[in-house]
């Protein structure tokens, strides 16, 4: 025995829009709470939430007159909204096409004078040798210890904070003259 499944939120929204489009009328919430369960099988408890979601998405218009709230949605407004969206998307498509064409032209222009030559095309062996050479050179570079790096940071701070000159700081704290960053 299968249980009867209720309507999904999207189905409720669609059915609620059908009420407006079929009648082409203006409703109050109380009227919709009577019509929706009877004609479209939308539970009375969910009518207000569904209606509010449609108002929030600008699919249904609402206005307060005195103490009453009125709701309406006409098919012509939906058609107009779709036409506006189509024009907007066509404009975006045209902009993207223009940008694509511009970039393709830039690629062609940039390629002039950069034809493939023997020097530009390195064999895999040459690339491997170059990579090995670079690694060996990097291993031979001595690195500063964190203490040496801190010395330079403290020297900069003292110079900026108290206006000392570098040679005064070196002399006061016995920092060797040959201590320097490796470049």
């Amino acid at each position: 025995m299968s249980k009867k499944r209720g309507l999904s939120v999207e189905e409720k929204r669609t059915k609620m829009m059908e009420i407006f489009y079929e009648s082409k009328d203006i409703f109050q919430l109380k009227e919709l709470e009577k019509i929706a369960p009877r004609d479209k099988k939308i539970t009375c408890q969910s009518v207000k939430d569904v209606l509010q979601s449609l108002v929030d998405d600008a699919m249904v218009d609402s206005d307060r007159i005195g103490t009453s709230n009125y709701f309406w949605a006409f098919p012509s407004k939906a058609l107009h909204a779709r036409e506006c969206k189509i024009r907007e998307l066509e404009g975006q498509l045209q902009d993207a096409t223009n940008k694509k064409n511009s970039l393709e032209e830039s690629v062609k222009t940039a390629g002039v004078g950069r034809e493939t030559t023997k020097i530009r095309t390195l064999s895999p062996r040459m690339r491997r040798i170059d990579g090995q050479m670079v690694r060996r050179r990097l291993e031979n570079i001595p690195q500063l210890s964190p203490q040496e790096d801190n010395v330079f940071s403290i020297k900069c701070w003292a110079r900026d904070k108290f206006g000392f000159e570098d040679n005064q700081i070196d002399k006061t704290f016995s920092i060797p003259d040959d201590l320097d960053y490796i470049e």
Side-chain angles (χ1 to χ4, degrees):
M1 304 1 151
S2 65
K3 264 190 162 180
K4 186 175 177 184
R5 181 184 70 84
L7 298 174
S8 71
V9 174
E10 263 320 298
E11 290 171 330
K12 290 176 185 177
R13 288 169 52 99
T14 303
K15 290 185 178 283
M16 183 69 73
M17 290 305 295
E18 288 174 3
I19 293 172
F20 287 108
Y21 290 163
E22 290 169 359
S23 68
K24 298 178 184 136
D25 202 0
I26 298 172
F27 299 97
Q28 288 184 320
L29 179 60
K30 287 184 180 185
E31 294 171 321
L32 288 171
E33 287 175 338
K34 290 178 185 174
I35 296 171
R38 182 186 68 221
D39 295 347
K40 300 297 180 179
K41 308 298 184 231
I42 301 171
T43 60
C44 186
Q45 296 84 356
S46 64
V47 169
K48 185 175 182 179
D49 293 333
V50 171
L51 184 61
Q52 187 59 49
S53 75
L54 292 170
V55 170
D56 292 343
D57 292 342
M59 294 175 68
V60 173
D61 293 315
S62 70
D63 199 4
R64 183 174 189 91
I65 301 174
T67 59
S68 302
N69 288 324
Y70 294 93
F71 301 94
W72 68 93
F74 299 118
S76 61
K77 180 184 177 194
L79 175 66
H80 179 69
R82 283 189 213 105
E83 288 172 348
C84 288
K85 186 67 173 177
I86 289 171
R87 281 195 298 275
E88 178 186 335
L89 292 173
E90 286 173 344
Q92 290 176 358
L93 176 63
Q94 185 62 41
D95 291 344
T97 303
N98 292 342
K99 186 174 182 179
K100 176 186 168 256
N101 293 338
S102 173
L103 290 172
E104 286 175 348
E105 188 62 35
S106 297
V107 167
K108 288 178 185 175
T109 305
V112 174
R114 292 185 178 194
E115 290 76 21
T116 304
T117 62
K118 192 173 189 177
I119 295 171
R120 288 177 192 252
T121 310
L122 291 175
S123 69
R125 182 174 173 252
M126 290 291 289
R127 280 186 249 148
R128 187 172 56 249
I129 291 170
D130 288 344
Q132 291 171 354
M133 183 179 63
V134 169
R135 274 190 228 99
R136 272 185 273 141
R137 287 193 178 178
L138 287 174
E139 290 170 359
N140 293 332
I141 297 174
Q143 299 294 319
L144 285 177
S145 69
Q147 292 80 12
E148 292 170 320
D149 199 31
N150 288 341
V151 168
F152 290 107
S153 298
I154 292 170
K155 279 176 65 171
C156 289
W157 177 79
R159 184 181 59 234
D160 296 339
K161 183 78 172 174
F162 301 110
F164 291 125
E165 292 184 22
D166 284 346
N167 58 2
Q168 285 180 310
I169 296 169
D170 291 344
K171 188 192 266 184
T172 306
F173 296 102
S174 303
I175 300 172
D177 293 334
D178 60 344
L179 181 67
D180 200 4
Y181 277 108
I182 298 173
E183 296 186 355

